[in-house]
Amino acid sequence: MSVPESITVRSVCPFDCPDTCSLNVKIDQGVIVSVDGNPDHPVTQGAICNKVRHLHERVYHPDRLLHPLRRIGPKGSQKFERISWEEAYEEIVGRMKRAIADKGAESILPYSFYGNMGILNAEGMDRRFFHRLGASQLERTICNGAGSAGYKYTMGASAGTDPETTVHTQYALVWGCNLVSTNMHQVMYLTQARKNGAKIVHIDVHRNRTSAWADEFIPILPGTDAALALGLMHVLIREKLTDERFIAEHTKGYDELAAQAELYPPERVADITGIPAATIVRLAREYGEASPSFIRIGNGLQHHDNGGMAVRAIACLPALTGQWGIPGGGAIKGNGYYSSVNADKLERPDLLPDPNVRSINMNRLGEALLQADPPVDVLFVYNSNPAVVAPDQNQVRQGLMRDDLFTVVHDLFLTDTCLYADIVLPATSHFENLDLFSSYWHLYLQLHEPIIDTMGECKSNFTLFKELGLRMGFEPETFDLTEEQLIREALDYRSPFLDGLTYEELRRDGWAKMKLDSPSMIPGRIPTPSGKIELYSEAMLQAQLPPVPEYEPIKEPEGLPFLLVTGPNHSFLNSTFANQPRMKKLEKQPKADMNSADAAARGIQDGDCVRLWNERGDVRIAVRVADNVLPGVLVTQGLWWEHGNEGLQAVNTLTPQRLSDMGKGATFFSTRVDVEKL
Ligand SMILES: Nc1nc2c(c(=O)[nH]1)N[C@H]1C(S)=C(S)[C@@H](COP(=O)(O)OP(=O)(O)OC[C@H]3O[C@@H](n4cnc5c(=O)[nH]c(N)nc54)[C@H](O)[C@@H]3O)O[C@H]1N2
Ligand SMILES: Nc1nc2c(c(=O)[nH]1)N[C@H]1C(S)=C(S)[C@@H](COP(=O)(O)OP(=O)(O)OC[C@H]3O[C@@H](n4cnc5c(=O)[nH]c(N)nc54)[C@H](O)[C@@H]3O)O[C@H]1N2
Ligand code: SF4
Ligand SMILES: [Mo]
């Protein structure tokens, strides 16, 4: 590509973040010199986070992988030699063919998530490749499996309020969501709403940046949100703060839900949640009396054993108060449904030789690597760093150490996971690729055209799986395609929201808003089985789940005194950026926040080093004594790499592989530990 001197070009932020910002990138002689927000984008409006403002430091980081590597020392030893792509392909293809001949294609397991959110690079040619291969299917439920399932039972799909309307909100509940760090443009809309009189309430287990920004902070005990939602319903119903007309017209199962809410008076809910009964009553009155009211349902509150039900229960509230369909009313858990493209054409599940091929849940990688039968012979990791982000790290890392396991990792950096790889492949940054980006929060699809040349010998996920497919002897008509052809196939989809959107339009304008002729899915278009908002769900009954919301305590056995919540932090994105010196410096070091009463009882002082332990392992970490958590709760922030941080341990050493109540989600935050002062 020939690039003129010093130009500013449009790009998109590729990270797993709801905002999917439009970027303006300044390029001098083919090299990115600055990254800024694009003021023309209707939602992201020129504002971006600090992480991405320094994204060029990541792209040109001296540690960036630029050519394939082969392991020459023991697994984990960091000893690699440079090899060519031809050698890498030969070894991978040979090893895959052998695995298929010996144990069947099921012995091959892809492991990927959304390190790059580009539709082609996260769920395009890669999915095609593994379908055609007949590899084990991966259940990609590490992020929002539980919450999506729970929300869907109530509302039918991951579709809520158009966030652009939330500037009209008069009352916002920010529930289990660290907005200031994780969805900054929602903060911008709600800050605007506050100027027009809105009140913002933050419900969280941790007093953090979002609590400081909100008007009120309500601390809650981890894993008890369904009880709070039911307590709010109890008061709303008792005090006739519900919208009877809306309930009659648009919901199903009100009587069953009301009978259930009856069982959750504020006093009982106070005992469960740690929130005073008077606060619960006041919160219900404020929420019930305000209109438009809006709930931003976060991901944090659903990383629990009972996370699906928590979201399912919260999602009933805007229906009881008749807030759907009003600009600024309703809720957002996720909005991915609106910008769905043609996944069948893109991913080609029809290529699977056996539709009953086994599925492996990505939250149980440790178990899969150590116990699956037939064993996993070949593990292919891309767009993810499971040696840091997956639960129960001792099992994950023990599995990755297996001598008979052949592991390929495709990444931009030598992550913790790469250290266990037999072959490491260099990935392009999204700046080097053509791709299509949707958001799981706002309603715009964006086209991204490459803005710099490919660096070193890097290849995109798209190119890697296309070339691997062809080397495996797969059909050229399915694999020998261009990015543009695949994007056209993805857009070839009967969807009222896409409404015939073309590649040409996206190229011309850079983005397009999904067509939604009301502020949300309501009224009259709920994709549940009954076509109504399901306060009672027959589908749940059939799935052997309680058909109306209820509170069930978390499953982690009692015994150890603390509940440990290991959330993300402000300056990393999951484990991405955790190797970037500027971001590490801002986050200083991992710490566990502890209530001062707990600290005093154990003689622990601010800054002391402790050992957190449970049956899965132990982690040494410094304590910050602060009353930003309730007694009995510990909170850490950030998914730090072990590699490059002497003595540091992944917090996921302590988290369980158990799956959530629905949607096979992760239960990271339902972790009990004990603390020992060192
Ligand atoms: N800066 C930054 N931004 C990110 C990410 C990142 O790592 N860093 N990650 C991205 C990704 S992949 C995701 S999924 C989103 C996640 O972003 P969010 O939806 O904000 O989710 P979390 O930050 O995981 O958790 C939100 C809050 O839930 C709280 N919490 C934990 N357990 C409970 C509970 O039982 N009840 C309640 N009420 N609160 C609880 C935590 O203390 C935390 O403050 O952010 C995305 N954006
Ligand atoms: N304890 C605890 N654990 C958690 C969470 C938590 O809150 N607490 N959050 C969970 C959640 S919500 C999520 S979403 C997951 C996230 O887990 P992951 O998806 O694994 O997220 P990252 O750690 O960001 O790793 C993404 C990797 O993809 C690489 N990458 C980026 N672009 C490309 C590309 O184009 N090609 C290839 N091949 N690689 C690329 C990046 O360099 C990075 O190493 O973690 C989960 N784990
Ligand atoms: S990480 Fe999120 S807030 Fe930051 S630039 Fe990307 S999309 Fe925007
Ligand atoms: Mo996530």
Side-chain angles (χ1 to χ4, degrees), residues 147-219:
S148 298
Y151 187 86
K152 212 169 152 185
Y153 280 125
T154 305
M155 295 297 296
S158 289
T161 305
D162 177 351
E164 289 175 80
T165 73
T166 60
V167 53
H168 301 297
T169 293
Q170 278 300 300
Y171 193 82
L173 290 180
V174 178
W175 200 330
C177 196
N178 189 7
L179 278 189
V180 170
S181 296
T182 63
N183 186 190
M184 60 176 281
H185 294 87
Q186 184 66 75
V187 170
M188 286 166 59
Y189 282 127
L190 292 180
T191 301
Q192 190 64 39
R194 174 155 61 191
K195 287 197 186 117
N196 304 325
K199 178 175 177 182
I200 299 161
V201 177
H202 182 219
I203 304 169
D204 201 298
V205 303
H206 188 225
R207 184 188 292 275
N208 52 32
R209 288 171 198 252
T210 303
S211 334
W213 158 79
D215 298 301
E216 182 179 357
F217 171 59
I218 300 181

Side-chain angles (χ1 to χ4, degrees), residues 76 111 142 362 365-366 369 379 381-401 407 409 411 414-421 574-575 639-643 648-655 668:
Y111 195 95
I142 201 167
M362 69 186 302
L365 178 64
L369 292 178
L379 175 71
V381 181
Y382 58 101
N383 271 355
S384 183
N385 185 13
V388 174
V389 306
D392 204 350
Q393 283 293 303
N394 281 334
Q395 292 232 343
V396 172
R397 290 181 187 242
Q398 217 182 312
L400 289 171
M401 282 298 284
T407 302
V409 185
D411 204 300
L414 210 57
T415 60
D416 280 13
T417 310
C418 291
L419 300 188
Y420 300 91
N574 302 318
S575 80
L639 298 174
W640 299 69
W641 294 17
E642 293 187 0
H643 173 38
L648 197 142
Q649 290 155 291
V651 285
N652 273 321
T653 303
L654 298 164
T655 56
F668 292 111

Side-chain angles (χ1 to χ4, degrees), residues 15-16 58 111-116 121 142-144 299 303 362 381-386 388-391 410-413 415 425 427-430 433 459-461 464 566-568 573-576 639 641 651-652 655 668-669:
F15 295 114
D16 187 354
R58 181 175 151 85
Y111 195 95
S112 78
F113 209 61
Y114 290 90
N116 174 348
N121 281 291
I142 201 167
C143 177
N144 61 348
N299 221 46
H303 277 320
M362 69 186 302
V381 181
Y382 58 101
N383 271 355
S384 183
N385 185 13
V388 174
V389 306
H410 184 224
D411 204 300
L412 287 83
F413 292 98
T415 60
L425 302 172
T428 48
S429 72
H430 87 291
N433 306 326
K459 289 185 195 285
S460 68
N461 303 5
L464 164 62
T566 51
L573 204 128
N574 302 318
S575 80
T576 298
L639 298 174
W641 294 17
V651 285
N652 273 321
T655 56
F668 292 111
F669 300 169

Side-chain angles (χ1 to χ4, degrees), residues 262-280:
E262 180 73 32
L263 307 176
Y264 291 84
E267 299 68 31
R268 177 179 175 213
V269 173
D271 285 344
I272 298 171
T273 60
I275 304 172
T279 306
I280 296 166

Side-chain angles (χ1 to χ4, degrees), residues 462-535:
F462 175 91
T463 305
L464 164 62
F465 289 107
K466 165 180 165 170
E467 293 180 351
L468 258 185
L470 294 171
R471 277 171 175 77
M472 287 295 292
F474 296 165
E475 303 66 27
E477 61 272 27
T478 315
F479 286 90
D480 200 4
L481 302 172
T482 63
E483 281 101 329
E484 183 183 322
Q485 279 172 306
L486 229 61
I487 293 176
R488 287 181 187 279
E489 296 197 6
L491 291 174
D492 179 14
Y493 190 42
R494 263 177 214 275
S495 146
F497 309 113
L498 281 178
D499 193 29
L501 178 69
T502 63
Y503 185 81
E504 284 67 28
E505 286 172 84
L506 277 171
R507 251 203 106 176
R508 187 192 63 212
D509 304 333
W511 55 72
K513 186 171 183 181
M514 299 299 97
K515 305 257 178 346
L516 183 69
D517 47 26
S518 80
S520 61
M521 289 290 287
I522 311 299
R525 282 179 299 174
I526 306 299
T528 54
S530 65
K532 303 206 161 191
I533 298 172
E534 298 200 343
L535 308 176

Side-chain angles (χ1 to χ4, degrees), residues 13-15 17-21 23 44 47-52 182 184-185 573 577:
C13 175
F15 295 114
C17 170
D19 299 55
T20 320
C21 294
L23 307 177
T44 65
I48 57 169
C49 67
N50 188 50
K51 307 182 285 295
V52 170
T182 63
M184 60 176 281
H185 294 87
L573 204 128
F577 295 108

